[in-house]
Amino acid sequence: MTRIILVVFEQRDGVIRQSSIDVWNRAQALKQQGDISVVGIVPGPAGSADEFRKITGDGDILHVDEQGLELCQPQAYADVIAAAAREHSATVLMLADTAFGADLAPRLSARLRASLISHCRSLSFEGDHLLCETAWYAGTVSALLTCEHGTAVLTLAGGRCSASGHDRPRLVPTTLERPEPSGWNPVVEKLVSASSSTQDVAEADIVIAGGRGLGGPEGFGMLESLAGLVGGSVGASRSVVDEGWRPHAEQVGQTGKTIAPSLYVACGISGAVQHLAGIAAAQTVVAINSDPEAPIFRAADAGIVGDVFDVLPKLEGLLREKLAGK
Ligand SMILES: Cc1cc2nc3c(=O)[nH]c(=O)nc-3n(C[C@H](O)[C@H](O)[C@H](O)COP(=O)(O)OP(=O)(O)OC[C@H]3O[C@@H](n4cnc5c(N)ncnc54)[C@H](O)[C@@H]3O)c2cc1C
């Protein structure tokens, strides 16, 4: 029997999130493991052809754009996605492990009477069983979970995943048969972007993050300059956010964002387990810290022991020379 995976795409202001495209690519990779077909759904106004061109692989992508979906209201989304899951007999629903995915997944699980597995790091099919490796206790423990029967709703933790094929999915403007929307959330009237000038730290390919070692909000000027140079975003530890030096939108970790950049540079960050929980999927971690015993070095691929105020300007100077071809 063909198993149907429904991938839920998240969009913000009509722009499809990279984390959702990663989930789609991971679902495509699962097709090698059996008779599996993948369907996507984009609720809301992600209508431009350019947006859809970012997506490759096989399968239909349902695009549902109707009144009430423009504000990313989870209850409205849950109605639409549950209707799509029923219509396509989906047995697995996959969402990115973002704040929005974490809010939506339990609603879908309740509506579909499905099992819910959050923070999946990896997944595979063994016979009829879906096996999910998930992270618990800030990533210090991993558990292998399976759903014995019925539908499963999964949130997938970061992991940049590129498409293997160059096919284009078929885009299907869709209207779904569903009961009158009952639970439109009256609280959301307007979405305001927290930091419109820079890319969301959860989507960025390069993240330059700072901790308490930067001494104050002024220290982040160096990080902004370096991030601007390499086309990255600035991230922050929770201590920094608690101090009010940086906005919560930039916080990385257990109570912040889970990120999956190809390069993560931790500047003056000790590397507490709650912080490391957010960077497990980073491909390369570089740490700059004055304390050679700082735990961040154990999680780093490369480390520089030194004062961040000496190291970062030198690093940026070298990079500028390199980029100028000197
Ligand atoms: C339930 C819970 C959830 C949490 N969630 C998160 C989370 O999501 N994200 C998160 O980050 N934390 C989280 N924390 C907090 C976490 O435990 C740490 O307290 C926090 O990560 C520490 O932040 P920090 O590394 O910036 O500061 P510190 O631990 O104070 O470390 C500062 C580091 O800077 C170095 N340093 C100092 N001066 C310099 C200098 N001039 N040059 C170079 N290095 C220097 C020091 O050697 C030190 O290693 C959570 C905690 C709890 C209990």
Side-chain angles (χ1 to χ4, degrees):
M1 196 185 75
T2 307
R3 276 180 293 237
I4 312 287
I5 298 176
L6 181 67
V7 173
V8 179
F9 284 88
E10 186 180 338
Q11 54 77 27
R12 201 61 67 77
D13 299 329
V15 177
I16 293 175
R17 310 263 291 175
Q18 179 59 45
S19 42
S20 298
I21 297 176
D22 291 336
V23 171
W24 169 262
N25 290 341
R26 288 171 80 178
Q28 295 286 327
L30 281 174
K31 288 200 289 198
Q32 294 163 355
Q33 297 183 15
D35 189 5
I36 293 165
S37 121
V38 181
V39 179
I41 180 164
V42 182
S48 91
D50 278 352
E51 276 309 299
F52 286 120
R53 247 178 247 126
K54 294 182 195 164
I55 306 168
T56 58
D58 292 322
D60 286 349
I61 296 197
L62 317 173
H63 183 212
V64 188
D65 191 4
E66 53 191 70
Q67 211 192 354
L69 294 176
E70 67 279 8
L71 289 176
C72 300
Q73 299 180 50
Q75 296 192 45
Y77 272 43
D79 282 346
V80 167
I81 296 159
R86 287 193 194 99
E87 198 167 304
H88 288 262
S89 307
T91 49
V92 181
L93 282 79
M94 288 188 186
L95 299 92
D97 198 14
T98 57
F100 186 69
D103 187 7
L104 186 54
R107 296 173 196 270
L108 288 169
S109 158
R111 273 181 179 61
L112 296 166
R113 297 184 176 277
S115 306
L116 172 64
I117 303 182
S118 306
H119 316 306
C120 299
R121 282 178 170 166
S122 66
L123 59 153
S124 59
F125 282 101
E126 199 165 276
D128 280 346
H129 292 313
L130 175 70
L131 293 178
C132 303
E133 194 222 331
T134 70
W136 289 356
Y137 302 113
T140 51
V141 175
S142 69
L144 200 58
L145 304 178
T146 184
C147 298
E148 300 233 314
H149 48 78
T151 307
V153 178
L154 316 175
T155 64
L156 269 78
R160 199 89 326 146
C161 184
S162 41
S164 51
H166 296 287
D167 302 336
R168 294 269 161 233
R170 205 168 61 106
L171 303 174
V172 190
T174 304
T175 313
L176 293 160
E177 284 296 319
R178 60 180 208 278
E180 262 311 286
S182 52
W184 303 122
N185 183 349
V187 177
V188 181
E189 286 178 358
K190 195 170 142 198
L191 286 177
V192 182
S193 180
S195 52
S196 54
S197 56
T198 55
Q199 194 182 20
D200 185 337
V201 74
E203 303 280 295
D205 195 43
I206 299 179
V207 175
I208 316 288
R212 205 196 289 275
L214 286 165
E218 315 75 38
F220 279 80
M222 292 187 300
L223 272 60
E224 280 171 355
S225 172
L226 184 59
L229 182 65
V230 295
S233 294
V234 172
S237 71
R238 175 163 164 178
S239 304
V240 158
V241 172
D242 287 350
E243 294 282 359
W245 299 351
R246 300 298 292 186
H248 183 260
E250 292 178 4
Q251 187 185 314
V252 173
Q254 186 188 346
T255 44
K257 288 179 177 165
T258 304
I259 63 172
S262 55
L263 176 64
Y264 183 71
V265 185
C267 309
I269 292 178
S270 58
V273 66
Q274 296 89 356
H275 186 81
L276 299 183
I279 61 166
Q283 275 168 29
T284 303
V285 175
V286 176
I288 304 168
N289 199 300
S290 51
D291 175 7
E293 302 297 325
I296 189 73
F297 287 124
R298 292 199 285 277
D301 299 284
I304 302 172
V305 178
D307 187 328
V308 70
F309 292 95
D310 290 337
V311 176
L312 266 189
K314 281 186 190 143
L315 199 63
E316 186 176 332
L318 286 171
L319 263 174
R320 283 192 188 279
E321 279 179 20
K322 190 99 183 151
L323 290 172
K326 286 188 195 160

